[in-house]
Amino acid sequence: MDISTDIWGQLAVEASQVYLSDGTVRSPFADTTIEKLPDKVLLHIFSYLSHREICRLARICRRWRQIAYDTRLWKNVSLRPEVSGLHVGSLEMLLSLISVRFGPTLRYIELPIELITHTVLHELSAKCPNLTHMLLDFSTAMQLHDFSEMQAFPTKLRYMCICLSEVIFMEGFMRKIYNFINGLEVLHLIGTYEKCEEEEEEIYEVINVHKLKSATPNLRVINLYGINFIDDSHIDAFSSNCIQLECLAVNFCNKVTGSTLKTLIQRSKRLTCLLMNGTSLKSEFVMQAEWDKCALQELDITATDLSTECLIDMLTRIPTLKFLSAGQINGFNDSVLKQWMESGTTRSLISLDLDSSDNISDEGLLKFLQRQGHQLLACCLSGMPHITDQLWMSILPLLGNCKIVVMGTAEKLGVNIHVDQLMDTIASNCGNLERLELRWDPDNLRFSDKSQKAIDILRVKCLKLRCMVLSDGRYYETVKANFERADRITVVRTTTCCRVSPYHLLRNYNDLIFN
């Protein structure tokens, strides 16, 4: 948006010119207020606010109401109040908003179950021709609306996210939209993994994946997250029809065993990203895949039960691996690191996450990082009690190019962590750091009255730091106050509400974001 430089220049002059009058200091432009700003400047300021805040500003005056209702501020809209979206009280109000406020500028919309009706979808299709991203949340549904009369649906969708219910079958809705979604490039199906309980319950296949794959031949990114009925046959179905597939994520789909991995690799020549965190992969299936012939660059096998033999076989055969998350695997040990390094297939590695890998020794890890550390952009070595500040003092000088670092464990240790020295070492060696997390228990952190100086040095030298996560405690409060005094109020956060992940480095990271 073009902002008039004359306006900003005038404001700068007003702020700088002062004179004495009657013993007081007064600007000759002291009467200038925000009302003097042109509409396009106010519109730009409003664009940084949430829709809830914009709606509140619309009550100020007629002029601000007119600006707040400018369709350019309503390109991306969430109508799910539980995820910081707006609450729309009735279908009539939503239909009015679609016509008056959203219109052709709408690009992205999130709808809760009560607003997903054939009337609303008809209106979006007719009044929002540029709608390309849509999220439909059925997760709390106990009954679907009647879609028997639905004849239209947005046809330019490139991204669609469907939050599934545990008990509502989607076929009545899906068969009405199959003819409209063949242009989809990104598909998210979000299950109820986080709501699952310990006891076994009957599992329903609430959406027909085999029919869905036939309607979506152009998919590049598929994210099947925490769906309790997804298994290897569904992966096989998508791979048989989606020749453009670049990224497949089946995180927390615990019925996936890897039995169709060989076929997936053979069919999907463009597949560069495979995320299988929390699946039930079996070593014998994984070893059957032709890893040496694949184009894979990004791999997540966190919390799987793969053997040491399988890990060595796989990692030494993937020729261009850049990103590896392999935490919480008992079979990942020094032998895996050594043979992987000696195979030469680590030459492209830029991200390594070995969270809670208790079978890796300090010596084995140090040898690996002495050889590969200079090329890493992300290094996550959390959840390992034996890796304390002393080892990190040796590791950090090897991580000069790192943008993401995660260290520490939440369990209480028998030793103390001298965090001031750690901050000094980070500031001296990691000038490119963007995200940092220290997971150590607050009771294990030792710092002195001179901590402010160490924090100052970190803040001044790591100017790109946008996120620093600490366990809630005295040290967190100290660091947070320091950054707030420097007007960097959004940087410091707690582990209660934020976690640092190397996923930011994934090539398709923006496409993988949902909710």
Side-chain angles (χ1 to χ4, degrees), residues 355 382-383 405-411 436-443 445 467-477 480 491-501:
D355 174 63
S382 54
V405 173
V406 182
M407 58 180 75
T409 177
E411 61 183 276
L436 171 66
E437 180 172 358
L438 277 65
R439 294 183 182 172
W440 282 297
D441 187 281
D443 292 339
L445 297 181
C467 177
M468 182 175 179
V469 181
L470 301 163
S471 297
D472 198 356
R474 283 182 55 219
Y475 190 69
Y476 160 76
E477 297 294 344
K480 183 174 176 62
V491 173
V492 184
R493 311 166 194 183
T494 71
T495 52
T496 306
C497 57
C498 184
R499 278 293 169 98
V500 171
S501 166

Side-chain angles (χ1 to χ4, degrees), residues 138-337:
F138 295 95
S139 61
T140 59
M142 297 307 292
Q143 184 176 349
L144 284 184
H145 291 281
D146 181 12
F147 294 100
S148 59
E149 297 181 11
M150 190 165 80
Q151 302 297 328
F153 190 79
T155 57
K156 290 188 178 180
L157 291 183
R158 294 291 175 266
Y159 170 110
M160 186 164 72
C161 177
I162 300 177
C163 300
L164 302 174
S165 165
E166 287 183 307
V167 294
I168 297 299
F169 291 90
M170 299 289 297
E171 190 56 28
F173 169 74
M174 296 302 296
R175 67 169 173 260
K176 289 291 185 177
I177 71 170
Y178 284 144
N179 291 333
F180 301 99
I181 60 174
N182 55 16
L184 276 185
E185 296 179 8
V186 180
L187 174 66
H188 293 262
L189 297 180
I190 310 303
T192 53
Y193 166 78
E194 294 177 355
K195 300 178 183 178
C196 287
E197 300 178 355
E198 292 290 329
E199 61 270 13
E200 287 290 329
E201 294 182 357
E202 190 171 355
I203 296 173
Y204 301 103
E205 188 166 341
V206 296
I207 191 167
N208 192 323
V209 171
H210 297 277
K211 289 185 179 179
L212 178 59
K213 63 96 177 179
S214 300
T216 53
N218 297 306
L219 289 176
R220 293 185 300 103
V221 177
I222 300 173
N223 179 26
L224 311 175
Y225 181 90
I227 306 176
N228 52 16
F229 64 81
I230 289 291
D231 58 26
D232 298 276
S233 68
H234 300 109
I235 294 176
D236 185 62
F238 276 120
S239 68
S240 68
N241 196 55
C242 304
I243 60 173
Q244 311 290 338
L245 190 60
E246 298 174 6
C247 174
L248 174 63
V250 289
N251 291 339
F252 307 109
C253 295
N254 55 22
K255 285 196 171 184
V256 172
T257 64
S259 62
T260 59
L261 274 178
K262 183 177 181 179
T263 309
L264 173 68
I265 297 297
Q266 288 173 343
R267 290 172 175 168
S268 306
K269 300 299 182 183
R270 298 187 180 187
L271 187 68
T272 58
C273 179
L274 186 56
L275 309 177
M276 301 181 288
N277 185 344
T279 55
S280 303
L281 292 179
K282 293 185 178 179
S283 297
E284 59 267 29
F285 294 145
V286 173
M287 293 173 71
Q288 290 173 7
E290 297 176 326
W291 299 107
D292 49 335
K293 297 180 182 179
C294 72
L296 204 64
Q297 297 179 3
E298 299 161 345
L299 178 66
D300 187 352
I301 48 174
T302 301
T304 54
D305 197 23
L306 297 179
S307 66
T308 300
E309 180 188 8
C310 175
L311 291 167
I312 292 172
D313 176 79
M314 177 172 55
L315 294 178
T316 56
R317 286 198 289 147
I318 302 177
T320 56
L321 193 61
K322 292 183 177 181
F323 177 104
L324 176 67
S325 285
Q328 304 173 46
I329 302 178
N330 290 331
F332 208 113
N333 53 30
D334 289 357
S335 177
V336 176
L337 280 179

Side-chain angles (χ1 to χ4, degrees), residues 51-207:
H51 285 136
R52 284 185 179 181
E53 293 168 323
I54 290 173
C55 288
R56 283 196 287 268
L57 291 179
R59 303 174 185 174
I60 301 298
C61 64
R62 184 179 300 173
R63 182 189 175 209
W64 282 29
R65 182 182 181 86
Q66 184 177 357
I67 295 171
Y69 288 173
D70 191 302
T71 56
R72 285 171 289 183
L73 294 175
W74 299 87
K75 291 181 181 180
N76 305 299
V77 178
S78 172
L79 301 179
R80 299 190 299 160
E82 71 277 8
V83 214
S84 74
L86 291 174
H87 173 70
V88 176
S90 66
L91 288 175
E92 291 73 21
M93 182 182 295
L94 175 56
L95 295 173
S96 173
L97 287 173
I98 292 172
S99 299
V100 178
R101 186 122 17 123
F102 302 163
T105 60
L106 186 67
R107 299 289 189 276
Y108 176 98
I109 191 167
E110 297 183 2
L111 295 173
I113 177 60
E114 59 270 19
L115 299 179
I116 305 174
T117 69
H118 74 273
T119 310
V120 170
L121 296 173
H122 280 180
E123 196 74 1
L124 286 172
S125 175
K127 302 293 177 60
C128 306
N130 297 309
L131 181 62
T132 57
H133 291 61
M134 177 181 280
L135 184 148
L136 303 175
D137 188 353
F138 295 95
S139 61
T140 59
M142 297 307 292
Q143 184 176 349
L144 284 184
H145 291 281
D146 181 12
F147 294 100
S148 59
E149 297 181 11
M150 190 165 80
Q151 302 297 328
F153 190 79
T155 57
K156 290 188 178 180
L157 291 183
R158 294 291 175 266
Y159 170 110
M160 186 164 72
C161 177
I162 300 177
C163 300
L164 302 174
S165 165
E166 287 183 307
V167 294
I168 297 299
F169 291 90
M170 299 289 297
E171 190 56 28
F173 169 74
M174 296 302 296
R175 67 169 173 260
K176 289 291 185 177
I177 71 170
Y178 284 144
N179 291 333
F180 301 99
I181 60 174
N182 55 16
L184 276 185
E185 296 179 8
V186 180
L187 174 66
H188 293 262
L189 297 180
I190 310 303
T192 53
Y193 166 78
E194 294 177 355
K195 300 178 183 178
C196 287
E197 300 178 355
E198 292 290 329
E199 61 270 13
E200 287 290 329
E201 294 182 357
E202 190 171 355
I203 296 173
Y204 301 103
E205 188 166 341
V206 296
I207 191 167

Side-chain angles (χ1 to χ4, degrees), residues 447-481:
F447 54 98
S448 65
D449 295 336
K450 298 181 180 179
S451 284
Q452 292 291 350
K453 182 178 179 181
I455 300 168
D456 285 339
I457 294 172
L458 176 73
R459 178 171 45 77
V460 170
K461 288 193 174 183
C462 298
L463 294 175
K464 297 179 181 179
L465 188 65
R466 64 178 68 177
C467 177
M468 182 175 179
V469 181
L470 301 163
S471 297
D472 198 356
R474 283 182 55 219
Y475 190 69
Y476 160 76
E477 297 294 344
T478 302
V479 177
K480 183 174 176 62

